[in-house]
């Protein structure tokens, strides 16, 4: 039988999803593919760099089984400062949007 958390902090930590970084993924790939951790980290870093480069150019990136990454433009708009209620202008910007693939949705 599992022991219940004794503090609020422990209870909050138990509810948080686990954080997985590129280093964790690289280590798992290294083990599975019989590579060194440095090699798998270098490969993953190159993939991230390539994705970034293509997104800067405006390309859509389709990762089969995962989803689609693309840059979307956000128009300039008016907003409000929540502290004062004062109207402020928010500049136009770009954001990276992710649309999950059907396989990913079904897997989760």
């Amino acid at each position: 039988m599992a022991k219940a958390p004794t503090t609020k902090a422990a209870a909050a930590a138990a509810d948080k999803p686990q954080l997985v970084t590129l280093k964790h993924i690289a280590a798992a790939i290294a083990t599975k593919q019989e590579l060194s951790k440095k090699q798998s980290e270098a490969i993953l870093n190159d993939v991230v760099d390539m994705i970034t480069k293509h997104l800067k150019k405006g390309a859509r990136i389709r990762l089969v089984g995962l989803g689609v990454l693309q840059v979307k433009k956000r128009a300039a708009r008016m907003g409000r400062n929540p502290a004062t209620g004062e109207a402020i202008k928010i500049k136009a910007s770009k954001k990276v949007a992710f649309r999950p693939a059907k396989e990913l949705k079904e897997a989760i």
Side-chain angles (χ1 to χ4, degrees), residues 54-61 68-77 91-100:
H54 286 291
L55 286 173
K56 281 183 178 179
K57 291 181 181 178
R60 287 178 42 180
I61 298 172
V68 177
L69 290 163
Q70 70 184 63
V71 175
K72 290 196 174 184
K73 294 179 182 175
R74 297 186 73 180
R77 62 192 192 280
K91 290 190 230 176
S93 62
K94 295 178 185 177
K95 71 171 194 151
V96 176
F98 175 73
R99 190 177 74 233

Side-chain angles (χ1 to χ4, degrees), residues 34-45:
E34 297 179 1
L35 296 169
S36 72
K37 286 184 184 179
K38 282 191 176 199
Q39 286 175 317
S40 60
E41 281 183 38
I43 292 168
L44 275 179
N45 288 331

